[in-house]
């Protein structure tokens, strides 16, 4: 173990955790399972889009030369040769003096070179139609074959996160299966004699293991697959047995027991399992004791037990690691600049994460405390829109001074209107 107890900055600790991490190998998924996954290789269109010239309007396929002079005072009458519905190929060629009734999305027939919307006609009969307004130009309201995408073209590049729009693009281009990076499987272990499983009623001296749920949910939110290992007692044997069960995962995550208390056996057990301890202290608040290393090549992160320290540590270190494994290139939450209402004072040289509510004030953002900031106080974390970051070296921030805020609830950004 690194007994010198070197205390790293948050940035340095994150760098070390990400250093050895690679995107996981790829797997094939259907489009129904592709949302938020990351493409492992470039995706080429299997189909040309549109596959053929087609009508952008319900109306009439005409020869532009026939109707170039049409107007309400001098309508042009054309003979109707057929009706073309979407999903059906035209049978007839449109000759001079003729037109075909056509629906949106139906293929444009041979001979026709413009579409007249039905609103610019008398609506037509079974046999003919009067054109009351000429199309703007040859080609009007025709969606050209290949104007969107050509077969073989790279439509989505490796490293792209799959959004609904990109899944639609792949679907239209005939790509039903996608190569994406596998989801990291994250073994999750809570530790502590005082803990009972969520759903159980705590006896005197006991509390509910909220970290069990927060870690499972944070892993899911980050795109990983949680494997919950339960609660280990503060006994080396129980910790060892349960941790061993987690070493088949891609990441092992524990909460609690990494501090300097009498029953903090987690680091000891890591060592017994052969952990190369990289570091176990980070200059942050909440969450100074935070252990990182590898056991049999599996990254292991020992988060502190205080619920907010667990959550903040996860946000700073685990989420970026999981996103890296998923193939994402943007690993952190969005950060905005806000004015910190009420200012801030601190004595230590640690980076503080201060739970805040965000509110827009003209073109600026205001960040105000979300409530009590104790590292075990869940209420303010549950309300918080983000984490204001008070830099290590800062001891005083005046009321309204600028601060960087990591946004956890990105929906709040949607309230941003440049014209307000
Ligand atoms: P530890 O890091 O084990 O010393 O725990 C620090 C504090 O966090 C103690 O008050 C624990 O009771 C609390 N704690 C540890 N694990 C959990 C958990 N899974 N859920 C809620 N609180 C916890
Ligand atoms: Mg404990």
């Amino acid at each position: 173990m690194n007994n010198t107890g070197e205390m790293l900055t948050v940035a340095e600790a994150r760098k070390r955790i990400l250093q050895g991490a690679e995107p996981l190998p790829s797997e094939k998924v259907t489009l129904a399972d592709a949302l938020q996954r990351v493409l492992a290789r470039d995706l080429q269109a299997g189909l040309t889009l549109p596959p053929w010239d087609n009508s952008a309007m319900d109306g009439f396929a005409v020869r532009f030369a026939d109707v170039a002079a049409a107007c309400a005072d001098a309508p042009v009458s054309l003979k109707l040769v057929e009706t073309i519905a979407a999903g059906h190929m035209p049978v007839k060629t449109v000759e001079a003096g003729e037109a075909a009734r056509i629906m949106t999305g139906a293929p444009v027939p041979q001979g026709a070179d413009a579409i007249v919307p039905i609103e610019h006609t008398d609506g037509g009969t079974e046999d003919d139609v009067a054109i009351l307004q000429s199309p703007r130009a040859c080609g009007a309201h025709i969606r050209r074959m290949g104007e969107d995408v050509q077969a073989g073209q790279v439509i989505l590049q490796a490293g792209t996160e799959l959004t609904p729009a990109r899944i639609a693009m792949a679907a239209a281009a005939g790509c039903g299966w996608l190569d994406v990076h596998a989801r990291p499987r994250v073994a999750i272990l809570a530790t502590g004699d005082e803990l009972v499983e969520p759903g159980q009623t705590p006896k005197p001296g006991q509390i509910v293991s909220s970290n069990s749920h927060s870690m499972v949910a944070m892993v899911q939110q980050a795109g990983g697959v949680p494997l919950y290992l339960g609660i280990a007692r503060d006994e080396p044997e129980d910790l060892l047995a349960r941790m061993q069960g987690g070493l088949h995962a891609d990441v092992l995550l524990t909460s609690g027991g990494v501090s300097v208390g009498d029953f903090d056996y987690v680091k000891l057990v890591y060592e017994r399992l052969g952990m190369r301890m990289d570091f176990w202290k980070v200059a942050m608040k909440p969450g100074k004791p935070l252990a990182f290393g590898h056991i049999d090549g599996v990254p292991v992160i020992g988060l502190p037990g205080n619920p907010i320290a667990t959550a903040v540590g996860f946000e700073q270190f685990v989420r970026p690691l999981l996103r890296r494994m998923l193939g994402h290139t943007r690993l952190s939450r969005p950060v905005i600049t806000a004015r910190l209402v009420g200012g801030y004072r601190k004595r230590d040289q640690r980076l503080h994460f201060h739970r805040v509510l965000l509110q827009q004030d003209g073109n600026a953002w205001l960040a105000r405390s979300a409530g009590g900031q104790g590292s075990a106080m869940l209420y303010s974390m549950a309300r918080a829109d983000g984490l204001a970051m008070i830099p290590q070296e800062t001891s005083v921030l005046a009321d309204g001074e600028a601060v960087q805020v990591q946004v956890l609830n990105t929906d709040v950004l949607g309230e941003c209107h440049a014209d307000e």
Side-chain angles (χ1 to χ4, degrees):
M1 192 204 303
N2 181 355
N3 276 320
T4 59
E6 180 193 7
M7 181 137 77
L8 303 185
T9 65
V10 169
E12 176 63 20
R14 191 187 288 130
K15 199 170 132 196
R16 289 216 203 158
I17 289 173
L18 293 175
Q19 231 156 32
E22 295 282 342
L24 295 179
S26 72
E27 62 184 22
K28 281 201 188 302
V29 293
T30 65
L31 298 184
D33 288 324
L35 187 64
Q36 286 167 1
R37 305 295 292 272
V38 179
L39 279 178
R41 66 190 85 242
D42 288 354
L43 185 70
Q44 289 177 308
L47 301 171
T48 291
L49 298 175
W52 12 257
D53 291 359
N54 71 95
S55 178
M57 302 293 280
D58 292 323
F60 297 88
V62 300
R63 298 169 76 100
F64 178 67
D66 283 351
V67 296
C71 60
D73 293 338
V76 174
S77 182
L78 300 171
K79 181 173 165 261
L80 288 176
V81 294
E82 68 174 326
T83 296
I84 312 161
H88 298 271
M89 289 304 288
V91 184
K92 304 270 176 49
T93 297
V94 173
E95 308 285 0
E98 294 178 347
R101 193 183 285 274
I102 193 166
M103 308 304 145
T104 304
V108 174
Q110 291 282 326
D113 58 10
I115 305 295
V116 179
I118 195 159
E119 297 85 344
H120 297 169
T121 71
D122 67 351
T125 65
E126 283 219 341
D127 303 320
D128 44 41
V129 60
I131 308 296
L132 307 176
Q133 186 177 323
S134 102
R136 209 170 292 141
C138 188
H141 302 303
I142 294 178
R143 304 192 283 215
R144 290 293 178 196
M145 171 179 170
E147 71 179 10
D148 192 5
V149 162
Q150 300 285 339
Q153 176 185 336
V154 172
I155 45 174
L156 297 169
Q157 287 181 333
T160 302
E161 176 177 341
L162 292 157
T163 58
R166 292 165 187 164
I167 291 170
M169 170 84 275
C175 309
W177 290 82
L178 303 176
D179 287 307
V180 298
H181 293 289
R183 289 182 197 272
R185 292 161 308 131
V186 184
I188 293 170
L189 181 64
T191 74
D193 280 351
E194 73 281 28
L195 303 176
V196 296
E197 290 290 355
Q200 294 179 335
T201 307
K203 296 199 179 79
Q206 297 183 324
I207 59 168
V208 176
S209 172
S210 59
N211 289 346
S212 299
H213 270 312
S214 68
M215 289 190 287
V216 165
M218 289 186 293
V219 165
Q220 287 173 329
Q221 193 187 42
V225 180
L227 310 170
Y228 181 55
L229 302 176
I231 299 168
R233 298 299 138 208
D234 288 322
E235 295 158 11
E237 297 68 32
D238 193 29
L239 283 162
L240 193 85
R242 286 179 191 264
M243 278 191 208
Q244 264 166 339
L247 293 175
H248 305 289
D250 299 303
V251 177
L252 170 60
L253 204 58
T254 65
S255 89
V258 285
S259 196
V260 292
D262 284 355
F263 303 99
D264 288 342
Y265 293 123
V266 168
K267 281 185 294 185
L268 179 91
V269 174
Y270 285 163
E271 281 194 309
R272 283 208 198 152
L273 287 167
M275 168 113 129
R276 264 191 311 103
M277 186 80 73
D278 193 324
F279 61 83
W280 58 280
K281 273 197 244 170
V282 183
M284 62 191 281
K285 186 179 173 184
K288 181 173 72 173
L290 189 142
F292 173 69
H294 288 83
I295 301 174
D296 296 339
V298 177
V300 178
I301 301 181
L303 296 170
N306 275 305
I308 311 311
T310 311
V312 172
F314 185 100
E315 283 294 330
Q316 307 317 310
F317 306 111
V318 187
R319 189 173 184 275
L321 173 65
L322 300 186
R323 285 180 63 82
R324 173 90 183 109
M325 291 174 136
L326 280 157
H328 290 281
T329 44
R330 292 194 184 132
L331 305 183
S332 46
R333 298 276 191 182
V335 172
I336 62 171
T337 303
R339 293 203 213 110
L340 187 58
V341 177
Y344 199 89
R345 270 175 195 281
K346 68 182 178 65
R347 292 211 181 131
D348 58 33
Q349 294 282 303
R350 295 193 263 158
L351 171 56
H352 285 207
F353 293 92
H354 184 61
R355 283 150 263 168
V356 294
L357 304 174
L358 289 169
Q359 186 196 344
Q360 214 180 0
D361 177 31
N363 286 326
W365 285 99
L366 293 182
R368 65 180 82 240
S369 171
Q373 299 280 328
S375 64
M377 296 175 82
L378 289 150
Y379 189 68
S380 61
M381 187 64 182
R383 297 179 74 210
D385 294 317
L387 298 170
M389 294 179 282
I390 322 296
Q392 257 184 266
E393 60 285 0
T394 300
S395 51
V396 180
L397 278 179
D399 178 36
E401 247 189 279
V403 72
Q404 301 281 93
V405 180
Q406 232 172 56
V407 183
L408 302 177
N409 170 20
T410 44
D411 286 348
V412 79
L413 300 178
E415 292 163 17
C416 173
H417 299 290
D419 55 353
E420 257 180 25

